[in-house]
Amino acid sequence: MLYTEIDSPLGPLLLTGRPSGTAPGGTAVCSLTVPGQKNAPAIGADWRRDPGAFAEVERQLRAYFAGESEGFALEFAVQGTEFRRKVWEALDGVPYGATTSYGELAARVGASRAAVRAVGGAVGANPLLVLRPCHRVIGADGSLTGYAGGLERKRLLLGLESAGSGVA
């Protein structure tokens, strides 16, 4: 496993990835986490720090945080159940500057209203904070509900996107 840590407006970000011949920059991203995040990976003894492997990811993150980009063109290599992967992929369809509710996300993946809690669990287990926009999922009443990176970071990301809406 390759890893690096980069600074961001959210604080330090831990990026993990695997070499890939098809990924922009040569690294498929496995996770992007923040300190204190529930279920964040711990750096393993057999992991190799390689900041250069994440140069393209870092470039795209800097453009996003600067309001110069609304999305990411990266390859992901995440592990999860079929249901979780389906929910995570649905997150990609939530536009920059917009929000959706857990119920709306459940409907997008074909899950019943009774499965909203499972959808929430899948959103909370998203290993790609920022890159897969789980921060865009809010409560049905418009409230800011849980975020694995903390509600203050969720507010920051939603504020950034609100201020940057319309940026190409």
Side-chain angles (χ1 to χ4, degrees):
M1 180 73 68
L2 304 173
Y3 79 97
T4 194
E5 294 173 297
I6 63 171
D7 291 326
S8 81
L10 302 177
L13 304 177
L14 173 63
L15 288 162
T16 67
R18 300 196 182 285
S20 168
T22 58
T27 302
V29 183
C30 296
S31 69
L32 183 156
T33 56
V34 295
Q37 179 178 330
K38 184 179 175 185
N39 298 322
I43 297 171
D46 59 338
W47 290 18
R48 182 170 51 93
R49 180 185 287 273
D50 187 350
F54 296 93
E56 179 59 18
V57 180
E58 185 173 1
R59 184 193 69 72
Q60 290 187 36
L61 281 165
R62 296 220 181 283
Y64 169 81
F65 287 125
E68 299 166 356
S69 173
E70 294 182 357
F72 303 95
L74 299 167
E75 183 178 309
F76 302 137
V78 295
Q79 302 266 312
T81 65
E82 182 179 341
F83 178 76
R84 283 187 172 181
R85 288 193 315 268
K86 194 174 185 180
V87 171
W88 296 337
E89 289 169 8
L91 290 172
D92 293 336
V94 181
Y96 180 94
T99 57
T100 193
S101 70
Y102 292 93
E104 291 167 347
L105 194 59
R108 284 184 191 173
V109 299
S112 69
R113 291 293 291 171
V116 169
R117 188 175 297 264
V119 168
V123 171
N126 172 25
L128 297 167
L129 291 190
V130 184
L131 301 175
R132 281 238 156 103
C134 54
H135 59 277
R136 297 178 189 154
V137 183
I138 60 174
D141 62 358
S143 62
L144 294 187
T145 56
Y147 183 62
L151 287 181
E152 202 51 46
R153 289 183 177 113
K154 184 172 190 163
R155 277 187 204 90
L156 189 148
L157 290 167
L158 291 174
L160 169 85
E161 292 186 6
S162 174
S165 271
V167 174

